[in-house]
Amino acid sequence: MPITIEFSDRLKALPPYIFVEIDKAKREARAAGRDIIDLGVGDPDSPTFPHIIEALKKAAEDPANHHYAFDAGLPQLRTTIAQWFQKRFSVSLDPHAEILPLIGSKEGLAHLPLGIVNPKDKVILTDPAYPAYRAAVIFAGGKIVNVPLKESNGFLPDIKKIENIKEAKVMFVNYPNNPTSATATREFFTQLVSLALEKGIILVSDMAYSEIYYDGQRPVSILEIEGAKEIAIEFHSLSKTYNMTGWRIGWACGNSKLVAALAKVKSNFDSGIFQAIQVAGVAALNTDEREIEDLRALYQERRDLLINGLRSIGWKVPSPKAAFYVWAKIPKGFTSSMETSKAFLENADIVVTPGNGFGEAGEGYIRMTLTVPKDRLNEAVERFKKIL
Ligand SMILES: *Cc1c(COP(=O)(O)O)cnc(C)c1O
């Protein structure tokens, strides 16, 4: 008798991976030698800044960095994060109790629910949302309640809708937002914090794109709002800011009890970030602000080129204020996100992400990234012109 291996119920409960078909079609097209323009990947194309690589090289040669890392991260990394946070958001954090380095922020976002969500607890997610939240809540046995993000409300959830949800335990928010590129206003965060304090809803803020913003409009941290530290934890990442997606380093900060819950979960899963990468992380956070300015300028030029190009061929798309995504309604004549993505790949060799992969409310949209050079974006516009 052959042995049957069955996935656990919690694995079976995960939503289907919508991107699988597009991924497969993309691989086949590449293998067939077609010249694919990939506007699907949310990963910076620029290399990591050289001073960060130098810091890693030096630290990697020091045997002191070859051991299990400090549980809670190098003290120097935590104090550097506190200084960075003070300078960027004027929020002071206790480096020991209110900051926890992570092996990338996704890891922390995915582990946190295990420390704060009991089976059947209600967790509010936005729709669309970064897919990792959904999986994390399902793994913890929580019950997901979706609130839609609508263009008419600037892709912010309706506060009234949240107010009407009974006995919610936790809510995830993500601004600057992936996939919509929307940013949160200070007014929205103020209302959200005040509601959360009144109803005892834990707020989880994902700020992976805090430094990728345009037109000089710097995104707000939820921890800037008075009282937020009583109820909120915020996730930050070095991935997008310093072109370090493969390095795996980020942090959580905010309410000390929430930070402690995450630390306790993690102490049972991992043994910290390779210490040389933590040393490199210190170098990253001390990057000259002018270098980050240049990175923003690079994305902003690409944004303007793509948006203007698409508008010139009659596809009206809003210009993102932050992050590196263009969230566009599918063009006239197409009936679904998936059909559009397939048609673009089939007829123009362009990969875009179908919006429904981020939740049902993403149906009718596609996501394009600005992580490809200008000449390729120009070429993409030329190809769209031929098929639209
Ligand atoms: C990229 C991304 C992350 C993950 O960042 P890492 O620190 O590399 O794990 C988290 N949230 C959102 C919304 C992202 O797009």
Side-chain angles (χ1 to χ4, degrees):
M1 265 270 289
I3 294 170
T4 6
I5 294 179
E6 282 240 14
F7 286 165
S8 67
D9 293 342
R10 80 177 64 78
L11 265 199
K12 289 184 197 158
L14 293 181
Y17 185 64
I18 301 275
F19 307 128
V20 74
E21 264 182 279
I22 296 288
D23 285 351
K24 183 162 168 271
K26 174 166 87 177
R27 271 196 312 275
E28 284 168 2
R30 279 231 170 90
R34 281 157 58 189
D35 176 28
I36 301 296
I37 300 177
D38 193 348
L39 305 181
V41 284
D43 190 342
D45 56 320
S46 311
T48 305
F49 293 106
H51 67 278
I52 302 172
I53 299 170
E54 283 312 311
L56 172 72
K57 283 185 186 165
K58 241 175 94 188
E61 282 175 1
D62 181 353
N65 292 325
H66 296 174
H67 303 278
Y68 286 123
F70 275 84
D71 263 357
L74 276 183
Q76 200 203 349
L77 174 61
R78 283 180 287 144
T79 47
T80 306
I81 291 169
Q83 285 157 3
W84 183 91
F85 218 86
Q86 178 70 50
K87 195 166 156 209
R88 171 66 174 85
F89 299 112
S90 305
V91 171
S92 70
L93 293 169
D94 176 340
H96 305 286
E98 296 177 332
I99 293 174
L100 181 68
L102 301 169
I103 311 171
S105 63
K106 182 179 185 179
E107 172 263 299
L109 286 158
H111 279 138
L112 178 67
L114 294 175
I116 57 171
V117 174
N118 283 317
K120 308 237 162 50
D121 278 351
K122 273 189 200 164
V123 178
I124 305 174
L125 299 183
T126 64
D127 182 5
Y130 182 59
Y133 315 145
R134 209 165 292 280
V137 175
I138 292 171
F139 283 164
K143 188 173 175 316
I144 295 170
V145 182
N146 285 301
V147 291
L149 300 183
K150 296 205 173 118
E151 197 160 347
S152 55
N153 198 39
F155 294 113
L156 294 169
D158 184 346
I159 292 282
K160 289 230 173 60
K161 282 234 166 71
I162 304 168
E163 213 169 346
N164 289 335
I165 299 168
K166 289 197 184 74
E167 294 175 351
K169 176 98 185 262
V170 182
M171 176 169 185
F172 281 70
V173 286
N174 164 221
Y175 295 98
N177 184 257
N178 177 8
T180 67
S181 273
T183 50
T185 57
R186 191 176 294 274
E187 294 68 43
F188 169 73
F189 272 158
T190 306
Q191 288 176 356
L192 186 65
V193 167
S194 126
L195 179 67
L197 286 169
E198 184 194 315
K199 297 189 121 199
I201 305 170
I202 294 166
L203 296 177
V204 180
S205 165
D206 176 359
M207 230 192 155
Y209 297 92
S210 74
E211 303 317 296
I212 311 296
Y213 58 83
Y214 309 117
D215 310 311
Q217 295 192 37
R218 300 208 299 179
V220 182
S221 160
I222 205 165
L223 298 177
E224 291 179 47
I225 309 302
E226 208 185 308
K229 247 199 221 174
E230 288 175 50
I231 202 83
I233 183 167
E234 190 163 78
F235 288 79
H236 287 260
S237 172
L238 275 61
S239 290
K240 316 295 176 14
T241 310
Y242 307 106
N243 305 322
M244 292 175 77
T245 47
W247 295 55
R248 314 313 303 134
I249 179 166
W251 75 87
C253 59
N255 180 273
S256 59
K257 193 124 185 232
L258 293 172
V259 167
L262 179 55
K264 195 158 181 189
V265 173
K266 274 172 59 61
S267 69
N268 289 286
F269 279 104
D270 67 70
S271 303
I273 314 161
F274 177 32
Q275 218 157 260
I277 289 180
Q278 298 193 45
V279 174
V282 170
L285 290 164
N286 287 326
T287 299
D288 189 328
E289 191 57 22
R290 281 170 299 190
E291 302 212 41
I292 315 296
E293 272 303 328
D294 290 346
L295 185 65
R296 283 191 280 266
L298 175 81
Y299 290 133
Q300 188 166 322
E301 270 183 37
R302 292 173 178 178
R303 174 197 71 167
D304 294 341
L305 186 151
L306 182 62
I307 296 289
N308 292 334
L310 295 176
R311 286 178 183 172
S312 77
I313 59 169
W315 190 2
K316 299 277 173 287
V317 292
S319 190
K321 292 187 188 133
F324 41 55
Y325 302 109
V326 172
W327 183 244
K329 278 213 176 90
I330 58 178
K332 285 206 179 61
F334 291 87
T335 54
S336 75
S337 299
M338 191 55 86
E339 182 211 6
T340 310
S341 297
K342 283 183 183 164
F344 286 178
L345 182 56
E346 204 58 26
N347 306 326
D349 290 339
I350 295 173
V351 176
V352 300
T353 308
N356 59 323
F358 301 96
E360 279 168 28
E363 180 53 77
Y365 289 86
I366 52 125
R367 193 194 73 174
M368 292 177 271
T369 69
L370 300 172
T371 53
V372 297
K374 278 201 285 190
D375 60 325
R376 298 298 278 168
L377 291 175
N378 262 327
E379 169 70 17
V381 172
E382 286 308 310
R383 292 186 192 178
F384 280 134
K385 196 172 175 175
K386 288 199 190 107
I387 63 159
L388 292 180

